[in-house]
Amino acid sequence: MKKPLKIILIILAVLVGLVAALLIWLTATQLNVKTETAVVTNGENSTASFAPGDSVSILTWNVGYAGLGEESDFFMDGGKQVRAPSKAIVEKNMDGIVSTVKELDADFTFLQEIEADPSTRSYGIEEAERMRTETGLDTAHARNYKCAFVPYPIPPIGKVSSGIMTLSTAPIASAERIALPSPFKWPVSVANLKRCLMPVYIDLEGTDAQLVLVNLHLEAYDDGEGKAAQTAALKSFLEQEYAKGN
């Protein structure tokens, strides 16, 4: 074998080995949807109570990990940037998100794409913890995106740990994480979101029935098949809760 060809084959073999090692690592460390549960944290400001017939206000907001403000040009929306230009911009966006949530003062707030742990795309900012601390409300949080290293695009997204969060002015009795069907197959699935429903249960005065609030973030970049399957799963869940009298 000629030396240049041998060198090329060695380089290819090394590259294939590195890709295989990355896929094995990502597969082993990906979010296990069968065991992940919603985390409930109690806050001193959640003292409201509700009864059947009451009106409630709900805010739902995809906060885009505080990285998709006016300065950003996100690659998945046809732009060029993978994350916000600087940590200072993410901090400024997070300041605005927290202050807006507090100002609107909804009875229940659904947030999507809020970082659960330090992530590369949000410069390591503890977004979920900050929301809990600064509102002082009961919260439920479930991760739907956990990847040790998202290898695309160039430069890569890197580490991601993100999810959905519900804030409640009333005490949260319990919360669940229910996995949703995914349209993506291995190996694409290992670096993709693991979508879920997160129902939060609120006890109602004068009845054994509960108020059930479902926070969710359906598929965004599929051909529609994923959204249809996930919506069907949501419908089935709602029907089951309604049959219980909730």
Side-chain angles (χ1 to χ4, degrees):
M1 185 181 294
K2 294 182 179 179
K3 190 173 182 180
L5 179 58
K6 185 176 181 180
I7 293 173
I8 291 173
L9 291 176
I10 292 173
I11 292 173
L12 288 175
V14 171
L15 291 175
V16 170
L18 289 174
V19 171
L22 177 62
L23 286 174
I24 292 171
W25 177 48
L26 293 179
T27 301
T29 58
Q30 68 179 323
L31 179 62
N32 187 340
V33 296
K34 294 180 180 178
T35 60
E36 186 77 355
T37 58
V39 177
V40 175
T41 304
N42 300 121
E44 68 278 5
N45 295 333
S46 293
T47 57
S49 60
F50 299 96
D54 287 348
S55 296
V56 299
S57 57
I58 298 176
L59 165 66
T60 182
W61 188 3
N62 184 328
V63 296
Y65 52 91
L68 299 177
E70 62 182 357
E71 301 90 352
S72 297
D73 184 29
F74 189 45
F75 77 99
M76 290 294 284
D77 294 328
K80 297 180 180 179
Q81 297 174 351
V82 174
R83 61 177 180 169
S86 70
K87 182 176 182 179
I89 288 175
V90 176
E91 290 173 333
K92 179 202 65 142
N93 291 341
M94 199 62 206
D95 288 343
I97 291 165
V98 172
S99 63
T100 300
V101 167
K102 293 169 70 173
E103 179 183 348
L104 292 177
D105 194 27
D107 295 318
F108 305 101
T109 298
F110 297 170
L111 302 178
Q112 301 89 39
E113 288 195 17
I114 184 163
E115 309 291 55
D117 297 303
S119 299
T120 303
R121 63 183 184 177
S122 55
Y123 295 88
I125 296 172
E126 297 271 6
E127 298 179 354
E129 182 58 31
R130 182 175 170 188
M131 188 62 68
R132 292 189 194 99
T133 302
E134 297 196 28
T135 63
L137 296 175
D138 274 23
T139 64
H141 186 278
R143 284 185 292 185
N144 61 12
Y145 200 7
K146 180 177 179 289
C147 186
F149 182 77
V150 181
Y152 57 82
I154 302 296
I157 295 173
K159 178 187 176 183
V160 177
S161 181
S162 186
I164 53 181
M165 171 181 267
T166 297
L167 297 89
S168 172
T169 59
I172 295 176
S174 62
E176 299 178 18
R177 183 198 190 281
I178 301 173
L180 287 171
S182 172
F184 302 109
K185 306 301 181 183
W186 191 89
V188 175
S189 62
V190 299
N192 221 308
L193 283 85
K194 308 297 190 295
R195 308 280 180 174
C196 66
L197 304 178
M198 187 179 68
V200 166
Y201 295 83
I202 307 294
D203 292 333
L204 295 173
E205 290 187 334
T207 178
D208 291 333
Q210 291 181 302
L211 174 63
V212 185
L213 303 157
V214 185
N215 192 350
L216 70 162
H217 183 196
L218 297 187
E219 215 61 64
Y221 297 103
D222 70 324
D223 60 4
E225 179 182 349
K227 281 187 283 288
Q230 292 163 4
T231 302
L234 170 64
K235 180 175 180 290
S236 175
F237 173 79
L238 295 177
E239 289 173 342
Q240 293 173 37
E241 289 298 324
Y242 187 72
K244 296 176 185 177
N246 290 334

